[in-house]
Amino acid sequence: MGKVTGFMEYERLEEGYEPVQKRLKNYKEFVIGLKEDEAKVQSARCMDCGTPFCNNGCPVNNIIPDFNDLVYRNDWQNAWAVLDSTNNFPEFTGRICPAPCEAACTLNVNDDAVGIKSIEHAIIDRAWAEGWVQPRLPKAKTGKKVAVVGSGPAGLAAAQQLARAGHDVTVFEKNDRLGGLLRYGIPDFKMEKSHIDRRTAQMEKEGVVFKTGVLVGKLPEGSKVTNWAKETISAEELQQQFDAVLLAGGAEQSRDLPVPGRDLDGVHFAMEFLPQQNKVNAGDKLKDQLRADGKHVVVIGGGDTGSDCVGTSNRHGAKSVTQFELMPMPPEQEDKPLVWPYWPIKLRTSSSHEEGCEREFAIATKEFIGGEGKDKGKVKALKAVRVEWQGGKMTEVPGSEQIIPADLVLLAMGFVNPVASMLESFGVDKDARGNAKATTDFTGGYVTNVAKVFAAGDVRRGQSLVVWAIREGRQAARAVDEFLMGVSDLPR
């Protein structure tokens, strides 16, 4: 390494944030990235550890020690080349990945991990600023046509890899803009959508054709899934027109909470709430937008989607925001010798929580309570109860019921599976969780039971991280290329 003793000399330096009161006034990104000299010092902390567990902790297997060393040596262009060799979209992961690589960092055994995510963020932002990120055209065209259904990170990664292999790739997206949940699930204050637009413009120059507002198959009647499609295309048409089809949609079926009062006005899925604000930020005019202004907001679900609802509600000007989590409050510090190098369960406080939020753990919702008079039919409160976990079973704590004011309730309890209609229209077998059934074997991976139809990303593995979607898209691209050509030079 460039600085063998760096980990003993320098402390971890976190990226900064703009002040809360300033960032709550808009939906812009507020993270202050590392300066060049700061990134160099942080890179110097990367140990000559011999076995870089960070590589395996990272789903796309980023070659982390190498780009750290190159940043330390001020060779930023080669640092970007190393990062680009394993990750199609570092500008996404550098902003919204939870950084499992840092949990696996050898230094994290008994110290603070290297700030890998902040270094990645600095590398890719500089690469764009310097003009190093350019379209990469194939050496020759194959004449093969591939359809990719879904323009989230899995679909985009696969499409880019397949286009660079020389195939004619068309991406179908049911929504009016590209990006999938990157576009309409992630708030702009975490990742501005200009990053998606810049990437897809690069991909168009590489030969990828994008078709938005096109729904493959049809949504089930009464579906709550966001859909701004203007036209439909059948599974049969895709199979006839293309040599291979890759299904790369999201796990969009939200987990529901069927308790009394669920049908009251003001109880909504998070994915009814979040996409609307992103559309408004993009300049669209919406009628009857779901707003939290002046309301008591209760977010049910303690994960990232719930945190996104908290941040958006605060920017609306909510009167109060409370977030429920069914599980007990985790420890503030994990038992590192026990869990390292795996992803630990510990208390995680997001930037949205810091902006204002009451967090409640080990609490369950029993009923949504409607108002009276002019508020009849509208949610005004909810009945909650404390719970205990013993032997993996949940029991209510006697006498712990309470009534909590709630004018807006957002259900953010995760996603159970993809919308079934797409899989059914292709006749794809589903696993026990309702996802597309396909293995990740090195040979013949990501292929479904239907001839020339593949599946990758959340539609196959279930709700997961952006970095896992990129990994699956890249691996599926190799599987499709190998299916079409017999062999593949694409990295896996």
Side-chain angles (χ1 to χ4, degrees), residues 275-311:
Q276 291 190 5
Q277 186 57 55
N278 285 4
K279 284 186 70 68
V280 170
N281 293 346
D284 294 355
K285 297 186 182 301
L286 295 186
K287 184 179 179 181
D288 301 324
Q289 180 193 356
L290 290 177
R291 299 278 307 183
D293 312 66
K295 296 178 180 178
H296 294 291
V297 180
V298 177
V299 179
I300 300 179
D304 289 341
T305 303
S307 174
D308 294 342
C309 290
V310 170

Side-chain angles (χ1 to χ4, degrees), residues 36-86:
E36 183 177 316
D37 58 338
E38 294 172 335
K40 180 176 180 178
V41 168
Q42 191 58 212
S43 297
R45 298 184 69 239
C46 187
M47 303 171 66
D48 188 9
C49 59
T51 303
F53 289 92
C54 55
N55 288 102
N56 289 329
C58 173
V60 293
N61 303 122
N62 278 338
I63 312 169
I64 294 163
D66 289 32
F67 68 63
N68 282 344
D69 186 50
L70 289 163
V71 168
Y72 175 75
R73 298 176 185 280
N74 209 34
D75 189 351
W76 286 80
Q77 187 164 3
N78 276 321
W80 168 75
V82 171
L83 179 57
D84 181 65
S85 70
T86 56

Side-chain angles (χ1 to χ4, degrees), residues 94-105:
R95 285 169 168 80
I96 59 176
C97 182
C101 55
E102 293 187 12
C105 174

Side-chain angles (χ1 to χ4, degrees), residues 98-178:
C101 55
E102 293 187 12
C105 174
T106 302
L107 190 55
N108 194 46
V109 173
N110 60 356
D111 200 347
D112 294 327
V114 175
I116 301 167
K117 178 180 173 181
S118 62
I119 297 168
E120 178 179 319
H121 187 181
I123 292 171
I124 187 58
D125 279 9
R126 177 156 182 179
W128 279 109
E130 297 284 355
W132 299 332
V133 185
Q134 294 293 327
R136 192 178 306 161
L137 302 179
K139 295 179 181 178
K141 300 291 285 185
T142 65
K144 301 291 186 180
K145 298 169 63 179
V146 182
V148 176
V149 182
S151 69
L156 291 179
Q160 185 167 61
Q161 294 294 95
L162 288 165
R164 289 174 174 178
H167 305 304
D168 293 318
V169 182
T170 303
V171 176
F172 294 88
E173 170 56 55
K174 71 178 185 300
N175 291 323
D176 56 349
R177 294 182 178 92
L178 299 169

